[in-house]
Amino acid sequence: TRLAGLQLWLDASELALADTDPVSSWTDVSGNGRHAVQADATKRPTFRTGILNGRPGVLFDGVNDGVVAPSLPLGLHTIFCVFKLTGTAGIVYEGTSGAVTNRYLHGSASDTIQTRSAAGNSGKDLSGNWANDNVARITSHVHGGTHASHLLYINGAVQTLTDAPGRTGDPGAVPFTDQMSIGGRDDSTSVVCTGYIFELLVYDRLL
């Protein structure tokens, strides 16, 4: 049964591609048509088969690979991601670089999770390079409008996070709408990731 509030669902297993094919479009299987695309052939990640328990994954090169989904209206949110990374780790980033409003999941100690709006900026940190060890993880990034409600779960276990310096505000629950970049920021060259992303689900509510 599909849960209410699903805004985006990317699943590598749903891609009709052959091993080593470039990924120009990652189909949104939520039914909302927010396919994540990359028009520049030099920045397309690679489809690889048999990576995780026989399932395929999308490989990002840590240089300039990335795909971008159209605007998602998110205030409160829950973002699930399954990935296995070996290096630089900008995993999911909503918003354009330097924008006042954005949110992201980053695989290092600096601003591991962040949600920022004109009302306030909430950032929390996990340990250094926690995601860069070539181990598969399921994460859920939860934001309930306040800094205190900003949580990260890994494989179902809530993580002990520290407050990012100067980022303890309450962004609020008012939705803002912007594109969502997968594999790095919207420019595909900063805060990029090296490794595989297998699945991404984005909900516009708390789960």
Side-chain angles (χ1 to χ4, degrees):
T1 301
R2 189 169 299 181
L3 298 176
L6 181 61
Q7 296 295 318
L8 176 68
W9 184 4
L10 305 179
D11 183 351
S13 296
E14 297 292 330
L15 291 172
L17 297 173
D19 191 34
T20 74
D21 278 354
V23 179
S24 60
S25 179
W26 195 343
T27 305
D28 174 19
V29 293
S30 74
N32 294 315
R34 295 188 175 102
H35 312 307
V37 301
Q38 178 54 262
D40 187 336
T42 67
K43 297 181 179 180
R44 291 170 181 165
T46 304
F47 181 76
R48 297 304 310 269
T49 58
I51 302 301
L52 181 64
N53 297 326
R55 295 166 64 90
V58 175
L59 176 63
F60 296 81
D61 66 1
V63 178
N64 62 2
D65 285 356
V67 291
V68 179
S71 295
L72 282 80
L74 296 179
L76 307 181
H77 67 257
T78 305
I79 300 173
F80 295 96
C81 191
V82 185
F83 60 86
K84 183 173 74 168
L85 305 180
T86 59
T88 54
I91 304 165
V92 179
Y93 190 101
E94 186 188 20
T96 55
S97 300
V100 172
T101 56
N102 58 43
R103 72 192 89 233
Y104 60 81
L105 170 65
H106 188 253
S108 77
S110 178
D111 291 318
T112 301
I113 54 174
Q114 184 175 167
T115 295
R116 179 166 56 183
S117 74
N121 184 353
S122 173
K124 295 194 175 185
D125 299 336
L126 194 53
S127 57
N129 298 320
W130 62 274
N132 298 350
D133 55 4
N134 201 32
V135 173
R137 291 176 171 84
I138 302 172
T139 61
S140 54
H141 172 197
V142 180
H143 171 65
T146 65
H147 184 68
S149 70
H150 207 178
L151 302 172
L152 177 67
Y153 294 82
I154 299 178
N155 298 334
V158 66
Q159 301 300 294
T160 300
L161 304 170
T162 58
D163 293 337
R167 295 179 177 169
T168 58
D170 294 334
V174 176
F176 67 83
T177 300
D178 213 328
Q179 64 187 18
M180 180 163 283
S181 302
I182 298 93
R185 287 186 175 175
D186 59 296
D187 57 13
S188 296
T189 57
S190 60
V191 200
V192 291
C193 74
T194 306
Y196 294 94
I197 296 178
F198 302 97
E199 194 165 6
L200 174 70
L201 295 95
V202 180
Y203 289 85
D204 63 359
R205 66 187 186 96
L206 303 183
L207 294 175

